[in-house]
Amino acid sequence: MCRSTAISVATLTDVAFQKCIQPSCGATYGINEVRVACQACGQLLDVAYDWDRLKPPTSFNFFEQKWSRRGDPLAFSGVWRFHDLLPFAPPSQVVTIGEGQTLLQSSDSVAKFVGQNAGRLYLQYEGMNPSGSFKDNGMSAAFTHARTIGAQRAACASTGNTSASLAAYCSVTKLLKAVIFVGSGKISYGKLSQALDYGALTVQIAGDFDDAMARVKEVSQELGIYLVNSVNPFRLEGQKTIMFRVLEALGWEVPDWIVVPGGNLGNSSAFGKAFHELREIGLIDRVPRLAVINASGANTLFELYERRGLRWNSGSPNSEVTQRYYEELDAEKRRASTIASAIEINRPVNLDKCLRALEWMDGVVREVTDQDILDAKAQVGAGGLGCEPASAASVAGAKLLAAEGMIQPDERVVCILTGHQLKDPDATVAYHTTDQELFNKKLGSRGVKRAAYANRAVAVANDRDEIIKAIQLYS
Ligand code: F0G
């Protein structure tokens, strides 16, 4: 699982460090410190590198060659194959459980649904990770950092996938004990069952994700528990590698668009950093555009970015705009609400980092309804390996952007499918059901009116001839 080489943490501390993202502050901290915010100004932190001294690879060939050494777990891992682009820990400290063996699939049927020309729409299946979501990319990096600083317990608030991932890393490696905070009744059974099965201490809060996030920050600080939510900058280092694998699968060609669902905004932030750094070190000469897609029932980023004009503004975002919006949410007692429970979040912790990514990648933000999400999800299932509802927001968003003419039919578009189809089978079954009561209860209550792409099960008597008749009628 882990290997030793000559590089030590001591050597790395001079070339890798933590840095406040606020340019006017720019405070730095050692990589062996545990922080989720800048002590001087309270902003988020990056993991930063002195690339001049690190001398990263000058060609993507370097990473290609790693595959021939895949007997080495660090070359096999889809995260650590790119270790030289996230060099904050020596190889001896790296934690891997085989994450990042994911697939970029071109899907012409989904392309047609979206409005793209054949061969121009790709689906990046992050559901193929060990715990079934993209979170494993970041968790392997956070665990690696936690190990270098000798943490004993790790905690997170979660809509289900971060908690499943944390619990899996704890159960496989036995390096840490997991404490997870979830909103009671707010996560799908697929995800809850993972946390329980993997043996995590599961704390169900009478509240939603935003409440759980606020509590876990307080409690983990008080008890000295290592926090693995994406406010932890090491998490996002791992999530950069999703973009490296997309490039790898495209023969190192940069696509035109990356489309990703937005919840706590860790992924979008990490993708911006990935492309910014690749350009900085000279491995690419242009970056794709970024589209972040909110569910309309949890649309803080859309509201702030597209309606109220909030921008990173080279490091001076107008935080009063955000503050005012949150006060409105509180005054109206408005809580996030969407069938895409993974992104049912109103107070995204990485908002400012995401604004920075949108600036770096000339980004746009859109919102899509639960109806759009479920129709797109059915199309992903019918044209590929399937995904959970939140993931399909990316495809629904791409369709919307194509209809607007923002995305051109011949542009190369990569939609990130963040979580496995089996994470939330209830939503899938409710969409395809013939039981109107079930449909109304689960989906109708969320404004979903029809299931245009439903594949309904055929009810038939327990009778050989009736079964044959039904098959001949429907196949
Ligand atoms: N898709 C899935 C399947 C997710 O689980 C999440 C986030 C997102 C998209 C949004 O990603 O936060 O980087 O913008 N899930 C978190 C969790 C919040 O707790 O599992 P983001």
Side-chain angles (χ1 to χ4, degrees):
M1 191 161 294
C2 307
R3 289 169 61 246
S4 303
T5 68
I7 311 174
S8 70
V9 182
T11 328
L12 282 168
T13 42
D14 331 332
V15 286
F17 46 97
Q18 300 182 72
K19 185 171 183 192
C20 176
I21 68 165
Q22 190 67 49
S24 59
C25 173
T28 60
Y29 305 93
I31 45 166
N32 46 7
E33 292 186 41
V34 179
R35 296 189 175 277
V36 292
C38 175
Q39 195 175 358
C41 74
Q43 249 298 10
L44 296 163
L45 298 173
D46 269 336
V47 180
Y49 306 99
D50 182 345
W51 293 117
D52 288 341
R53 286 173 59 204
L54 273 164
K55 302 211 182 324
T58 52
S59 140
F60 282 120
N61 256 342
F62 175 85
F63 303 107
E64 292 266 318
Q65 284 161 14
K66 293 241 181 142
W67 190 236
S68 63
R69 290 192 277 115
R70 60 191 176 277
D72 171 358
L74 270 68
F76 178 74
S77 164
V79 170
W80 299 104
R81 178 151 85 248
F82 300 100
H83 193 174
D84 300 71
L85 299 175
L86 50 148
F88 64 82
S92 60
Q93 297 294 312
V94 166
V95 179
T96 172
I97 64 167
E99 59 288 318
Q101 305 309 317
T102 60
L103 176 72
L104 184 79
Q105 183 202 45
S106 167
S107 173
D108 285 350
S109 68
V110 178
K112 193 164 170 219
F113 170 72
V114 165
Q116 289 308 99
N117 292 344
R120 307 311 275 176
L121 193 284
Y122 295 84
L123 304 171
Q124 172 68 13
Y125 282 101
E126 287 300 312
M128 293 169 72
N129 274 293
S131 81
S133 86
F134 74 91
K135 302 287 180 182
D136 295 347
N137 294 284
M139 204 54 71
S140 69
F143 254 63
T144 297
H145 182 246
R147 178 190 219 185
T148 64
I149 58 108
Q152 305 286 313
R153 287 184 293 187
C156 69
S158 184
T159 54
N161 279 327
T162 305
S163 48
S165 181
L166 168 60
Y169 274 79
C170 287
S171 78
V172 175
T173 67
K174 308 284 180 238
L175 286 170
L176 297 168
K177 287 210 161 22
V179 183
I180 67 164
F181 287 49
V182 296
S184 193
K186 287 291 182 183
I187 77 174
S188 68
Y189 269 18
K191 299 172 190 179
L192 180 61
S193 61
Q194 286 182 285
L196 297 174
D197 223 21
Y198 293 137
L201 171 59
T202 304
V203 183
Q204 289 186 300
I205 312 263
D208 63 10
F209 174 83
D210 295 316
D211 298 316
M213 189 71 230
R215 296 295 84 74
V216 79
K217 275 183 170 171
E218 295 161 0
V219 173
S220 59
Q221 186 166 13
E222 180 147 348
L223 298 181
I225 303 178
Y226 188 86
L227 188 64
V228 297
N229 277 105
S230 51
V231 278
N232 176 331
F234 294 91
R235 264 273 308 273
L236 300 191
E237 289 307 286
Q239 284 168 221
K240 290 190 312 192
T241 66
I242 301 169
M243 291 300 102
F244 304 154
R245 294 198 299 276
V246 165
L247 290 181
E248 184 178 47
L250 292 175
W252 309 110
E253 282 178 21
V254 177
D256 298 301
W257 286 92
I258 300 291
V259 190
V260 64
N264 228 359
L265 306 179
N267 254 348
S268 42
S269 300
F271 297 173
K273 188 171 190 280
F275 284 110
H276 186 73
E277 288 176 350
L278 286 180
R279 188 153 67 172
E280 197 183 350
I281 62 184
L283 281 169
I284 56 173
D285 53 15
R286 73 175 184 95
V287 299
R289 295 191 70 184
L290 177 67
V292 185
I293 314 299
N294 274 165
S296 52
N299 64 350
T300 293
L301 182 68
F302 175 73
E303 178 68 31
L304 293 177
Y305 188 80
E306 297 289 350
R307 292 214 180 104
R308 306 192 183 198
L310 182 67
R311 291 291 181 276
W312 175 239
N313 200 14
S314 304
S316 309
N318 185 352
S319 54
E320 276 172 28
V321 173
T322 313
Q323 211 44 49
R324 215 171 307 128
Y325 179 62
Y326 288 164
E327 280 163 16
E328 282 172 34
L329 287 181
D330 287 342
E332 294 165 24
K333 295 196 173 20
R334 212 166 353 127
R335 310 301 304 201
S337 175
T338 167
I339 189 75
S341 58
I343 52 174
E344 194 172 50
I345 296 172
N346 261 352
R347 285 174 150 78
V349 296
N350 287 299
L351 176 66
D352 283 349
K353 272 191 183 174
C354 176
L355 293 173
R356 185 180 65 169
L358 288 163
E359 184 169 294
W360 279 338
M361 297 178 70
D362 190 15
V364 298
V365 182
R366 291 292 182 271
E367 61 173 351
V368 291
T369 64
D370 284 4
Q371 177 80 61
D372 301 332
I373 287 174
L374 290 178
D375 287 342
K377 190 179 105 56
Q379 287 287 301
V380 171
L385 299 173
C387 65
E388 67 165 283
S391 313
S394 61
V395 173
K399 183 175 168 62
L400 178 64
L401 289 163
E404 286 175 10
M406 175 68 79
I407 292 182
Q408 298 297 312
D410 207 34
E411 287 188 305
R412 206 138 62 145
V413 178
V414 176
C415 294
I416 311 301
L417 299 184
T418 45
H420 198 283
Q421 185 193 36
L422 297 178
K423 288 281 191 174
D424 189 359
D426 286 2
T428 310
V429 172
Y431 185 85
H432 293 289
T433 190
T434 50
D435 177 347
Q436 195 61 37
E437 210 175 304
L438 173 65
F439 183 90
N440 290 344
K441 186 167 161 245
K442 182 91 185 158
L443 308 181
S445 59
R446 296 186 176 279
V448 180
K449 293 204 164 55
R450 59 191 183 279
Y453 306 104
N455 174 29
R456 301 212 161 80
V458 178
V460 61
N462 181 13
D463 177 276
R464 179 183 165 277
D465 292 343
E466 288 295 317
I467 293 169
I468 289 172
K469 220 193 292 170
I471 292 171
Q472 278 168 341
L473 184 64
Y474 292 110
S475 69

